[in-house]
């Protein structure tokens, strides 16, 4: 199996030199930080406007430490918990890139080498708290049957200490990565080899 | 039934005066153009960063006339066809806001008072071309089982004259509005009354 | 899109002159009342026995005002509510004819120009009463998994003031239009243009 | 288990004496012919108008021998084949009354003591002809996803010698018994003990 | 239909003489007891190791009378109840061999000629006890979505008097016959004619 | 999260000393070979007869190297391919133990540190051969809708060089681990920590 070449995507990927300055800069920055360029950056870069919007949305939902006092997000979800939502959503949507790449990030943020695989396969059986299971139950409802979400789901979340703002966060993350999963599957975006072992 | 009050959303909606300048400007512009403020603008405005990213993404996928010669998108899809994808996707995801609001836009862009209802209920029986049905078949596959999209779907699209860039567009629109549908359902964002009759 | 001809059905439709007297009379009567002949009458007319049984069944379930004192039906459901069941059932079954035609009737009977689109897309988010949502929850259970209906459903209905006779009505309407939806989809029966704007 | 009493239905059943004359007559006729009154007659009899429409529809679809030369139905389906459709449809809808009662009728009409159980459990593995399997494939599509029936299904049926009229018959029978299955499940109509062994 | 030959399986079946001694002995023993050789013995016999493991597993789950005092199984489930689980599981998996063969065994063990057909079509409407319905609810959850089984299911079972050991039994029987159903469907193993009438 | 204790199973696990000699011997042998006792051995050991049958079946399907010349299995599937079937089946059934434990074995047998995660998330996008994808397509059909397997599936397998014996193997492995997945989920059997990193 090792002899098969591993294309980044079924779509052609642009050379870094061809990219608009702001996009190249962002890519180089992530490369410097991670040591490699996650493939999703290269795949989306051929559509600069979509690239910019995608990562702006991503950061708005996933980056919480840079927020100032008057934050949009109440901060009820830790960064690790946000990644849990990504992994569980991406697994139910069968997205190879997102499960592998965000599984790595989850392991690092949770400082737990096992949790990502457990959440990916069946979060109901993972070593996470009842609160986190309720969080993922809600994320799954958003991913699979958002049309049926009603006040009962918000009430259940409140019993576990989640505010309505947290509910928005959970739903928005599950929805955003539901989009990401679909794009990655259609473009056959492959996870970088580095992700498979990070944080184990 | 007319006596029930019709909330914009289950989440509180910010006052225009409280909003960041750029967001208020965008909202006032759409109000000037449409004669009213579509509710999705007000619902998302309480999360300014998400608002900006959402509409940047929306415009990148849906606004094609402003593109210059060296466009990202080959322009294989008309604006009406892009709205068809939105309506079919939103219907299968049972999103009231998106079906009603984008149904109105579809009627106007297609100059066809019937097509939106037909596409919403069952596009397979709508008076659209075989090429458009193939486009919507692909959008439905993206919406419902993107994990199973493979080269066969691209081949079918090519038989109907769609390029791989068109395939990206169809997939990205179905994926983006899949996100939008989930957020609108969780926030119970209601369509403005004006949309129900526009373009009929 | 406007240039495509809009066939009534994929099956040939009989001329009025060829029809048995009673069937022609019924059709002319509805034409006189509505100003046009709803296509379902023409499509079913080529099978006179099925036509007669279909409309007899329809009237038994949907026409309540003509009932005498010793009615079969307790009258717990208003005519508008009966149409709500038709629209919700037909939407989940993706039947273009029934959603459009009965959506029109629902608008008229409910004197509400918005309710039909809302119920068609996602009744859970429609401006209807909790009692009506319970009614439609039951109708959906009948449409999608009638085998699992048990005493719990009847108990829930009773909490909302519905009798067992009402339950029978809801179930029978959902079941009858489930049949109608299937026949209309197989015959590709198209809704008349007039229905799209009636009652808006 | 034998000690449990076996109610005909969760709804009260009328006494024969209370019934309108035409309905009582029909019931007595079937009792004379069969030696017992099939429970569905008693359950539906409490709604005389629905009873009349139901059996008129049933007879229009299932009774072919009484047809004169200028029949509505081309007669492409034998009576046994019509019962096969009923059994396969009722099994997928998990309707105890219809599978047991029409299983008995199928055994008798097909003069085959095994075919009813086989068709009920998995018609794909039953000892029936490829033509009959194609007939049941179409019936299943009507029962489960009629919205997706298109010209391809009609073409497949034609390859097996079925006309478009036969397609209508298959679809109408699957649709009618889909209604019947839902009503029987909601009313918990039980099959008479006699049906279990008839024709074995 | 009677003219079609009825193959035991789509795979060749070995002659008794060719079989290993222990397997032939087991087959002859069941033939002596039943008067015929159930086809599943012949189909599996061509894979002796799988045959031995299959029937060892079967006996461990289904044969309780031979157990000594210090049994593995607490005996909370009667033999008839174990067969109910088999029939309900096999019906939902649409396995002709298992529904017909174990339907016969269920009729005999329950001394009830009707229960097998009822459980096969829709156990929720069968004349069985609430405890038995809870047992089959759990078996269906195991068959269809075992990943979601959690402490709530065990609690429900306890309310009906089932121990955790009983829960294991129910789950293991549903899981084992889920395997058996898949193998029988892939090999198109047909039920012997004798089973259709046994115990009626 | 690291502070939560990680129970082997929701069912009590027997002490090695209490076990029958043959079972203890088998467990000690696997411990010697692997360096630890895979939890499934301990969970199943409390039911000795089921333990014996389970592992006898497992070995008959998965162990091919010990086979003599006159093997039951034609050997068309490599050991790594057999593990691929296990991982893909266990992932679709959401079984944490089996995906993690057999993922480790797959990595080792395929000498490929990435393939297990890829096959678990979405084998359609994994770096495996078209022949292996066809093998897993068939395994998925067996896992999810074995009732619909017919000659077309065998024909497709033959086009990829698989014999009917290979088809039996694929089906039997998917069916056996479908059973295993259900039992592991109901007993909440957790994968040993060692498995998460083996072979990476």
């Amino acid at each position: 199996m090792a002899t098969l070449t591993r294309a980044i995507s079924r779509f052609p990927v642009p050379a870094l030199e061809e990219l608009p300055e702001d996009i190249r800069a962002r890519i180089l920055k992530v490369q410097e930080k991670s040591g490699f360029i996650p493939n999703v950056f290269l795949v989306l870069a051929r559509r600069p406007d979509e690239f910019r919007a995608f990562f702006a949305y991503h950061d708005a939902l996933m980056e919480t430490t840079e927020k100032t006092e008057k934050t949009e997000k109440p901060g009820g979800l830790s960064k690790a918990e946000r990644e849990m939502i990504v992994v569980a959503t991406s697994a139910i949507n069968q997205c190879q890139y997102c499960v592998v790449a965000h599984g790595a990030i989850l392991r690092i943020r949770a400082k737990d080498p096992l949790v990502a695989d457990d959440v990916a396969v069946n979060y109901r059986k993972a070593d996470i708290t009842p609160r986190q299971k309720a969080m993922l139950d809600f994320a799954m409802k958003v991913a699979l049957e958002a049309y049926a979400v009603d006040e009962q789901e918000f009430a259940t979340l409140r019993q576990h200490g989640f505010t309505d703002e947290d509910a928005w966060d959970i739903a928005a993350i599950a929805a955003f990565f539901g989009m990401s999963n679909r794009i990655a599957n259609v473009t056959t975006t492959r996870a970088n080899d580095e992700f498979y072992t990070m944080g184990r």
Side-chain angles (χ1 to χ4, degrees), chain A residues 84-144:
Chain A
M84 267 185 207
I85 300 168
V86 180
V87 171
T89 300
S90 302
I92 209 71
N93 288 329
Q94 303 187 37
C95 177
Q96 190 259 0
Y97 181 87
C98 300
V99 170
V100 173
H102 287 272
I105 304 174
L106 171 54
R107 284 191 295 270
I108 291 169
R109 298 211 161 157
K111 298 186 189 5
D112 181 333
L114 309 185
V115 68
D117 290 348
D118 289 357
V119 167
V121 181
N122 188 353
Y123 72 91
R124 298 168 199 82
K125 304 292 183 177
D127 275 338
I128 56 177
T129 64
R131 180 181 169 276
Q132 289 166 340
K133 287 187 187 175
M135 174 186 81
L136 295 178
D137 283 343
F138 182 62
M140 288 304 96
K141 185 127 192 179
V142 173
L144 298 177

Side-chain angles (χ1 to χ4, degrees), chain A residues 32-59:
Chain A
E32 191 179 310
K33 186 178 165 195
S34 309
F36 63 96
I37 304 172
N39 289 336
V40 68
F41 286 84
L42 296 174
V43 173
L44 291 179
R46 64 197 298 274
R47 297 261 187 138
D49 287 351
E50 298 176 30
F51 178 103
R52 292 180 189 106
F54 182 92
F55 287 105
Y57 218 139
H58 174 277
D59 294 352

Side-chain angles (χ1 to χ4, degrees), chain A residues 41-82:
Chain A
F41 286 84
L42 296 174
V43 173
L44 291 179
R46 64 197 298 274
R47 297 261 187 138
D49 287 351
E50 298 176 30
F51 178 103
R52 292 180 189 106
F54 182 92
F55 287 105
Y57 218 139
H58 174 277
D59 294 352
L61 294 171
M62 304 300 286
E63 300 298 331
T64 60
T65 56
E66 304 160 18
K67 296 290 165 190
T68 59
E69 177 187 23
K70 197 159 177 299
T71 178
E72 299 167 30
K73 292 188 292 298
L77 303 178
S78 72
K79 282 194 170 187
E81 286 169 342
R82 288 170 199 267

Side-chain angles (χ1 to χ4, degrees), chain A residues 1-57:
Chain A
M1 278 161 285
T3 59
L4 291 172
T5 56
R6 202 177 172 90
I8 288 174
S9 162
R10 78 172 297 287
F11 280 84
V13 165
L16 280 181
E17 312 82 71
E18 299 168 2
L19 293 174
E21 179 50 35
D22 63 318
I23 289 176
R24 188 167 57 242
R26 166 120 199 195
I27 290 177
L28 292 175
K29 190 177 159 196
V30 72
Q31 186 181 28
E32 191 179 310
K33 186 178 165 195
S34 309
F36 63 96
I37 304 172
N39 289 336
V40 68
F41 286 84
L42 296 174
V43 173
L44 291 179
R46 64 197 298 274
R47 297 261 187 138
D49 287 351
E50 298 176 30
F51 178 103
R52 292 180 189 106
F54 182 92
F55 287 105
Y57 218 139

